[in-house]
Amino acid sequence: MKHKLIILSGPSGVGKGTIVKKLLKKGSFALSISCTTRAPRKGEKDGVSYFFISKQKFSDMVEEGGFLEYSNHFDNFYGTPKAFVEEQLKTHDVILEIEVDGALQAKKAHPEAILIMILPPSVEELKARLIKRGSEDMQTIEKRVKRMEYELSKKDCYDFTVINDDLETAVAEIEKIIKSKR
Ligand code: 5GP
């Protein structure tokens, strides 16, 4: 059996992280841990949430061809370490949870990858939640909403879209998609 690269994207707040956790519990997937130049948030551990690295180290890795894909998101770089993914693909389906620009790059390098975009049941509701969330200034909020609109505008480039209305249903749908591609 050939193992698959499964790429999940979707706007911030859509519940990608929870879906990934469920998939990892249910199947024998490997999750790629990305490198990022952003600072860790409270509770995030190096080597678990991300590999938190400097901009210099990130650009060295780019030069060495160490990323399967990478992109700049809100002034920070994020990338998928190539060696880990290629090694894991020998024995497991590998999940990447990444934003759209990187996902489309990864699809170019791995045309057989399954691109799945997670959508909210209501775009308006998600937008309202993003606006209400936290204590960010208006500029940050506007950036977030613009980014959400950008991510959604790319949904036709994806092989599948899954609406995360009910978590179990969304996870079951993703599992079905993966099975159908075997
Ligand atoms: P956050 O900073 O909130 O953890 O992530 C911001 C965005 O970066 C999310 O959309 C997340 O999916 C995306 N992201 C995380 N890792 C990678 C990666 O390796 N490559 C790309 N292109 N995006 C990533």
Side-chain angles (χ1 to χ4, degrees), residues 35 53 56-67 80-82:
C35 294
I53 64 176
Q56 183 58 54
K57 167 95 178 137
F58 197 98
S59 80
D60 290 347
M61 280 182 73
V62 170
E63 293 245 316
E64 291 157 9
F67 290 120
T80 303
K82 196 195 265 177

Side-chain angles (χ1 to χ4, degrees), residues 36-54:
T36 183
T37 60
R38 84 153 162 75
R41 297 192 187 115
K42 216 174 158 216
E44 286 184 331
K45 285 206 181 90
D46 189 40
V48 179
S49 321
Y50 285 102
F51 294 105
F52 295 98
I53 64 176
S54 66

Side-chain angles (χ1 to χ4, degrees), residues 8 10 16 34-36 38 41 44 50 69-71 73 78-81 97-99 101-103 151:
L8 299 179
K16 288 166 289 179
S34 301
C35 294
T36 183
R38 84 153 162 75
R41 297 192 187 115
E44 286 184 331
Y50 285 102
E69 62 70 39
Y70 69 94
S71 75
H73 184 81
Y78 295 80
T80 303
E97 193 250 282
I98 62 178
E99 54 68 65
D101 295 334
E151 300 243 336

Side-chain angles (χ1 to χ4, degrees), residues 47-143:
V48 179
S49 321
Y50 285 102
F51 294 105
F52 295 98
I53 64 176
S54 66
K55 285 200 166 141
Q56 183 58 54
K57 167 95 178 137
F58 197 98
S59 80
D60 290 347
M61 280 182 73
V62 170
E63 293 245 316
E64 291 157 9
F67 290 120
L68 179 71
E69 62 70 39
Y70 69 94
S71 75
N72 184 306
H73 184 81
F74 290 141
D75 301 329
N76 280 301
F77 289 95
Y78 295 80
T80 303
K82 196 195 265 177
F84 175 83
V85 172
E86 291 183 347
E87 188 54 36
Q88 289 296 316
L89 274 176
K90 292 178 188 162
T91 48
H92 291 83
D93 288 338
V94 179
I95 301 177
L96 309 187
E97 193 250 282
I98 62 178
E99 54 68 65
V100 292
D101 295 334
L104 298 177
Q105 269 180 54
K107 178 81 174 174
K108 270 197 193 144
H110 285 261
E112 74 294 349
I114 311 172
L115 281 193
I116 304 174
M117 181 171 286
I118 316 291
L119 297 173
S122 154
V123 172
E124 283 314 308
E125 215 173 274
L126 183 61
K127 201 189 259 186
R129 245 197 289 151
L130 276 186
I131 292 170
K132 260 199 243 153
R133 187 168 95 176
S135 54
E136 290 123 350
D137 56 61
M138 210 49 217
Q139 225 183 356
T140 309
I141 291 169
E142 271 169 19
K143 258 185 164 175

